[in-house]
């Protein structure tokens, strides 16, 4: 199956940035698109819905103005994330705004609904649904999703537990449509590896927490830079769904990161909130790939680094090819 037109554009790199609750706002999205990779943000970051309308106008206008000023630059499209869960009381309102602005790519999470897919298809947009295992992937495509985002172990936010190889292998048995792979990708070499594993693009979230455009407090950015994979704790304590969080922020919020209460022990998101903790705002989300981030930079600086690492990785494989004659990458 060939990729939909919106994913066939000329990107600087095969990278789609991942939406991050609170952290992804218009500044980050514009910088991502203008650096030549797909930008994204969760609709719920724009509060109230009228702000979503404003953000979508701002992003489209700013990207268009940038493209006019820089006719040779690659300006990538953007995506909006919809949480398709019964707790999202804004879903219908936000869908109206998304349809009005003809958002080119919609990412659906925590539930697949045919009417959401139909609304996006009505103006020619595409829907990518994020999944943590193959069964959910099959259901999403049955309900009309155009593509899939495989959220593997080690990803930021509500991550899965499966190996990226296992997940992509199982999905690629039956699905040849658009497939993104996520989980701890923070180096150009890992972007190439996602493609080699069978994905069309790498889906990258936490790495952008290191950039100046991420809408987070400086202490959060610094903790991302100072931490590595072993500082990431996987727990369902804070939201009721398993996710990856920075150990330092859990400790600062007054918890023992190694002994978080489980739901079986009576803990619930409500009890966590009552204890004074707020998932995402005080207890900071992050994937395991942050060990590759050593300094804060702009989005454009990070994409530049990814680009040179990506091409270097291709070069290294080609060198190996010369010596072994077994691998060929162009
Ligand atoms: C702080 C943070 C907040 C996130 N919020 C959301 C969200 O609101 N919606 C969503 O679909 N995914 C969310 N995610 C998951 C990302 O979209 C993506 O799957 C993940 O970041 C990819 O793994 P990586 O962080 O290791 O690159 C979040 C991730 C992080 C780190």
């Amino acid at each position: 199956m060939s990729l939909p037109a919106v994913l066939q554009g000329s990107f600087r790199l095969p990278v789609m940035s991942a939406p991050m609750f609170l952290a992804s706002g218009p500044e980050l999205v514009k910088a991502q698109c203008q650096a030549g990779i797909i930008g994204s943000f969760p609709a719920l970051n724009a509060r109230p819905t009228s702000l979503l309308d404003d953000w979508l106008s701002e992003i489209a206008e700013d990207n268009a103005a940038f493209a006019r000023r820089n006719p040779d630059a690659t300006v990538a499209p953007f995506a909006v994330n919809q949480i398709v869960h019964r707790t999202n009381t804004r879903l219908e309102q936000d869908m109206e705004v998304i349809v009005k602005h003809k958002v080119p790519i919609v990412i659906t999470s925590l539930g697949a609904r045919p009417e959401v897919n139909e609304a996006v298809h009505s103006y020619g947009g595409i829907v990518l649904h994020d999944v943590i295992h193959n069964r959910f992937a099959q259901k999403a495509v049955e309900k009309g999703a155009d593509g899939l985002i495989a959220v593997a172990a080690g990803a930021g936010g509500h991550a899965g537990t499966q190996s990226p190889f296992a997940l992509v292998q199982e999905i690629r048995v039956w699905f040849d449509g658009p497939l993104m792979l996520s989980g701890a990708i923070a180096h150009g070499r890992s972007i190439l590896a996602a493609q080699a594993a069978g994905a069309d693009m790498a889906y990258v979230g936490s790495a952008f927490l290191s950039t100046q455009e991420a809408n987070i407090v400086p202490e959060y950015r610094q903790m991302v830079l100072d931490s590595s994979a072993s500082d990431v704790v996987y727990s369902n304590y804070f939201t009721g769904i398993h996710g990856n969080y920075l150990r330092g922020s859990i400790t600062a919020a007054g918890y023992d990161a190694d002994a978080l209460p489980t739901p079986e022990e009576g803990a619930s998101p409500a009890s966590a909130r009552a204890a004074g903790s707020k998932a995402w705002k005080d207890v900071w989300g992050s994937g395991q790939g942050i060990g590759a981030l050593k300094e804060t930079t702009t989005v454009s600086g990070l994409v530049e680094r990814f680009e040179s690492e990506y091409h270097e990785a291709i070069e290294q494989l080609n060198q190996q090819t010369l010596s072994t004659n077994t691998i060929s990458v162009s």
Side-chain angles (χ1 to χ4, degrees):
M1 185 197 272
S2 64
L3 289 177
V6 69
L7 297 178
Q8 280 180 24
S10 58
F11 301 109
R12 188 153 154 207
L13 276 176
V15 172
M16 175 164 185
S17 64
M20 295 183 287
F21 188 51
L22 306 181
S24 311
E27 293 314 312
L28 187 65
V29 177
K30 289 185 285 185
Q32 290 164 334
C33 298
Q34 293 170 22
I37 62 162
I38 300 174
S40 76
F41 70 96
L44 291 176
N45 280 4
R47 294 160 195 229
T49 293
S50 57
L51 192 61
L52 178 62
D53 203 358
D54 296 346
W55 280 14
L56 290 174
S57 300
E58 179 188 336
I59 293 167
E61 284 161 21
D62 201 82
N63 282 352
F66 178 85
R68 281 194 299 276
R69 287 195 309 276
N70 302 276
D72 296 332
T74 300
V75 182
F78 65 91
V80 174
N81 170 225
Q82 280 283 46
I83 304 293
V84 188
H85 190 260
R86 58 189 156 68
T87 52
N88 180 6
T89 54
R90 280 177 43 169
L91 181 64
E92 278 177 28
Q93 260 180 306
D94 287 350
M95 278 314 300
E96 280 174 25
V97 180
I98 283 174
V99 171
K100 175 181 158 196
H101 286 267
K102 298 187 167 51
V103 171
I105 304 167
V106 173
I107 299 163
T108 51
S109 316
L110 300 179
R113 293 245 296 260
E115 62 273 27
V116 170
N117 300 329
E118 283 156 19
V120 178
H121 292 156
S122 72
Y123 60 83
I126 65 161
V127 176
L128 304 178
H129 187 73
D130 74 10
V131 294
I132 57 169
H133 55 66
N134 189 34
R135 190 165 49 80
F136 286 165
Q138 281 165 332
K139 272 194 173 172
V141 171
E142 275 163 26
K143 289 186 178 180
D146 304 281
L148 296 165
I149 299 163
V151 182
H158 292 141
T161 52
Q162 293 190 347
S163 148
F165 295 117
L167 199 49
V168 172
Q169 280 162 186
E170 290 189 14
I171 291 172
R172 276 299 188 220
V173 166
W174 59 273
F175 185 66
D176 63 357
L179 178 60
M180 316 287 158
L181 175 61
S182 88
I185 298 176
H187 194 284
R189 168 191 320 123
S190 310
I191 296 166
L192 184 63
Q195 287 185 295
D200 295 297
M201 284 188 165
Y203 189 74
V204 180
S206 302
F208 289 99
L209 294 171
S210 70
T211 67
Q212 287 153 22
E213 292 92 339
N215 181 32
I216 57 175
V217 293
E219 294 78 7
Y220 186 175
R221 187 175 291 106
Q222 194 57 48
M223 196 177 285
V224 165
L225 296 174
D226 293 342
S227 302
S228 54
S230 53
D231 301 311
V232 174
V233 175
Y234 190 61
S235 169
N236 63 356
Y237 180 51
F238 302 104
T239 67
I241 302 173
H242 271 97
N244 278 317
Y245 303 92
L246 288 172
R247 174 180 293 275
S249 68
I250 297 175
T251 310
Y255 298 100
D256 179 350
D258 295 314
L260 287 169
T262 64
E264 297 73 43
E265 290 164 343
S268 68
S271 66
R273 273 197 299 278
S277 140
K278 277 221 170 126
W280 312 115
K281 188 167 172 292
D282 298 325
V283 174
W284 298 328
S286 172
Q288 292 179 356
I290 49 178
L293 307 167
K294 296 296 172 214
E295 56 186 15
T296 184
T297 174
T298 56
V299 167
S300 136
L302 182 63
V303 172
E304 231 162 77
R305 165 164 86 74
F306 283 167
E307 189 180 35
S308 69
E309 291 164 348
Y310 178 80
H311 290 295
E312 207 173 299
I314 291 175
E315 190 53 36
Q316 277 172 4
L317 282 180
N318 280 330
Q319 291 299 329
Q320 286 176 20
T321 309
L322 290 178
S323 56
T324 63
N325 215 15
T326 54
I327 315 169
S328 179
V329 180
S330 57

